[in-house]
Amino acid sequence: MRKLFSSRAVVTMIIAFIVIVGLIAGSNWWAKRTNTPPFIQRFGNDLAGGVSRVIAVPTTAIGRTANSIGNLLNTFEENQALKAKIDEFAQDKVRLQTVEEENKELKKQLKLEATLTDYKTVSAVTISRSPTTWQSQLVINKGSKSGLKKGMPVLAGSGIIGRISEVNTTNAKVALISDTSEDANRFAITIKGGKGDVNGIVTDFDRESNQLIMGQVTSDNEIKAGDLVETSGLGGVIPSGLYVGKVAKVTKDDYGLSKRIYIEPAADLGNITTVVVAVSEIGAQ
């Protein structure tokens, strides 16, 4: 058999192996003395770092481009959303202006002198209403600290429900329009009839129908269901023109001598949770 390797080749391989091992050993020895990596390791590290930098340049550029595109898309979407909100605000402003104009026109047509929108108000919450005085009074969570004073009208929904009867620092009592006890300060009201106004006071309250009653009316002026009822301002306590409700029906008293007018109040007097106190008319000095 032929020899696979000549003696010279074997000697050359052995010498090369010894040299490589020597270089590695020398590099490790030198690295320990100088605290630097071996030459071969440095060469490999430098080669890997160079390749990484070459690869990182386009990768970083692509990532930045992708981020920029993403940010641009997000900005575009936010811009579209903001434009939509601006359009909504503009539409709401137009609607508000339209409603205000319609409100003014309706007041003129209905001959209403003042409503809740004509007053600066203080919002409050009912914090106490006793079953024994359910029809006559309740307590709200605002008082003199919020600018409330005795006699100020109190409204709920779209109409008046009472007046401030007692003021404390942080709460106040409200005398309800449905209070018809003997010592109650009755509310002066007027009915805007088709053939002239009819003035009177709230004389009673029908608990079954939850309707106010204006009794002892002797006026011959025509009064019919649907006529508007508002405060008359007589007595000087409650200002005139605050909405009370509408006439529900007109009947005769037990003797047939005077009228009893049933009024459907604008607010649900049996369920008063939040109220507003009319502090002063807007623009009043």
Side-chain angles (χ1 to χ4, degrees), residues 155-161 177 210-212 228-229 242-247 263-269:
L155 302 97
S158 59
I160 186 169
I161 58 143
I177 195 172
N210 287 322
Q211 292 176 341
L212 303 168
L228 298 178
V229 184
L242 293 177
Y243 188 44
V244 176
K246 293 181 179 180
V247 173
I263 301 166
E264 186 69 34
D268 183 0
L269 299 176

Side-chain angles (χ1 to χ4, degrees), residues 241-270:
L242 293 177
Y243 188 44
V244 176
K246 293 181 179 180
V247 173
K249 64 180 179 180
V250 181
T251 64
K252 293 286 187 179
D253 66 6
D254 296 337
Y255 304 99
L257 300 175
S258 61
K259 299 174 183 176
R260 286 172 59 88
I261 302 169
Y262 288 77
I263 301 166
E264 186 69 34
D268 183 0
L269 299 176

Side-chain angles (χ1 to χ4, degrees), residues 66 90 185 209 213 236:
N185 190 357
S209 63
I213 298 175

